[in-house]
């Protein structure tokens, strides 16, 4: 079982739809949970991060973490064509006295006008 | 003002050649990283340096050798390039090794080995 599982999609929605993106994980040692957005041929861009179980909201984006189920989600409200990108979940794990990020494979989202 | 920059943006080379990629960050961060993103978009850490000291070295062939001349720069030298090295290589930085939750990525270097 991979440490982080993410459905690669692709996911195609009409403009204005609510989008739900999800990841599951197996490592209980993961501490921080992040969502990155990556436009085509660009570097990943940090959207949000959370630490504890619960919800965190930033504008149209809501990140949700359920540590008991080892499940994280990103919700996008009122989706826009400019949200079309690949969304990567990432989690921080201890690594020999330091930490590293483990990424999901990304979900490709297209928002159609 | 580019926070994390990489050169070159594109690199096309033949098998067996040696090449280098350079990374610079102007965020004042202490920690820098190299990631490899394969054709399926899977992003995996290769190395991490904190204040010029190597702190993470994933299972990467020893043909890959990172070097950090100072904490604002991290270079990646690849010897004897192979077809499987074709990927996008991203540099990233964070304030410290325990602050991965705010990691900033460069634009990537697309390496094609023919």
């Amino acid at each position: 079982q991979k440490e982080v599982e993410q459905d690669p999609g692709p996911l195609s929605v009409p403009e204005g739809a609510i989008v739900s993106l999800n990841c599951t994980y197996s490592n209980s040692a993961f501490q921080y949970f992040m969502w990155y957005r990556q436009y085509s041929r660009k570097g990943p861009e940090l959207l949000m991060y959370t630490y504890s179980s619960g919800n965190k909201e930033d504008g149209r984006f809501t990140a949700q973490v359920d540590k008991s189920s080892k499940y994280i989600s990103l919700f996008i409200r009122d989706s826009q064509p400019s949200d079309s990108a690949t969304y990567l979940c990432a989690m921080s794990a201890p690594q020999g006295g330091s930490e590293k990020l483990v990424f999901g494979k990304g979900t490709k989202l297209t928002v159609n006008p | 003002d580019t926070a994390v920059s990489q050169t070159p943006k594109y690199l096309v080379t033949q098998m067996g050649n040696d090449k280098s990629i350079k990374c610079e960050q102007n965020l004042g961060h202490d920690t820098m990283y190299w990631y490899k993103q394969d054709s399926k978009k899977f992003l995996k850490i290769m190395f991490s340096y904190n204040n010029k000291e190597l702190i993470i070295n994933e299972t990467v062939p020893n043909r890959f050798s990172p070097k950090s001349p100072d904490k604002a720069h991290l270079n990646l030298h690849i010897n004897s390039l192979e077809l499987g090295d074709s990927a996008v290589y991203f540099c990233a930085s964070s304030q410290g090794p325990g602050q991965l939750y705010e990691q900033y990525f460069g634009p990537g270097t697309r390496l094609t080995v023919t």
Side-chain angles (χ1 to χ4, degrees):
Chain A
Q1 183 188 8
K2 285 195 171 14
E3 280 191 292
V4 179
E5 300 273 8
Q6 183 176 9
D7 186 341
L11 186 60
S12 182
V13 301
E15 184 174 352
I18 296 174
V19 176
S20 171
L21 304 165
N22 311 297
C23 288
T24 58
Y25 63 95
S26 57
N27 189 346
S28 300
F30 285 143
Q31 295 181 324
Y32 284 90
F33 303 88
M34 284 135 279
W35 286 96
Y36 282 84
R37 177 175 62 197
Q38 186 175 21
Y39 291 115
S40 182
R41 298 194 169 246
K42 300 285 186 187
E45 170 197 6
L46 180 66
L47 278 177
M48 298 178 72
Y49 72 88
T50 53
Y51 177 73
S52 54
S53 284
N55 295 349
K56 182 176 181 179
E57 198 173 308
D58 184 0
R60 296 185 295 111
F61 297 89
T62 299
Q64 190 175 79
V65 173
D66 182 345
K67 286 190 173 182
S68 61
S69 301
K70 295 190 178 69
Y71 188 88
I72 71 168
S73 300
L74 178 71
F75 298 98
I76 308 174
R77 286 185 301 282
D78 187 27
S79 55
Q80 303 294 309
S82 58
D83 295 329
S84 297
T86 296
Y87 289 80
L88 302 158
C89 65
M91 306 176 188
S92 69
Q95 167 94 350
S98 182
E99 287 190 23
K100 68 174 185 179
L101 281 187
V102 179
F103 282 84
K105 288 201 167 186
T107 300
K108 185 171 182 180
L109 170 69
T110 301
V111 180
N112 302 299
Chain B
D1 289 347
T2 307
V4 183
S5 59
Q6 293 177 232
T7 53
K9 195 168 181 183
Y10 299 97
L11 190 50
V12 181
T13 188
Q14 290 186 326
M15 277 197 310
N17 284 349
D18 304 338
K19 290 292 178 187
S20 291
I21 307 171
K22 298 189 177 200
C23 177
E24 176 181 0
Q25 55 95 2
N26 63 6
L27 297 165
H29 287 168
D30 286 343
T31 310
M32 296 184 73
Y33 311 83
W34 279 115
Y35 286 87
K36 179 180 179 181
Q37 188 171 46
D38 62 25
S39 58
K40 296 185 178 177
K41 300 288 189 184
F42 186 49
L43 194 60
K44 194 164 192 297
I45 190 165
M46 300 173 71
F47 302 103
S48 173
Y49 271 77
N50 184 56
N51 247 326
K52 303 192 295 176
E53 181 186 339
L54 181 67
I55 55 172
I56 289 178
N57 185 349
E58 287 289 281
T59 310
V60 175
N62 56 16
R63 298 182 295 104
F64 290 79
S65 48
K67 274 205 176 87
S68 182
D70 55 62
K71 68 177 192 178
H73 295 85
L74 181 62
N75 303 324
L76 183 65
H77 187 75
I78 316 170
N79 288 325
S80 304
L81 278 155
E82 299 177 358
L83 291 176
D85 298 332
S86 295
V88 182
Y89 292 85
F90 287 101
C91 176
S93 73
S94 66
Q95 187 72 47
Q99 287 161 300
L100 298 184
Y101 48 83
E102 284 190 314
Q103 193 167 124
Y104 296 91
F105 283 78
T109 295
R110 188 171 292 270
L111 171 65
T112 303
V113 182
T114 61

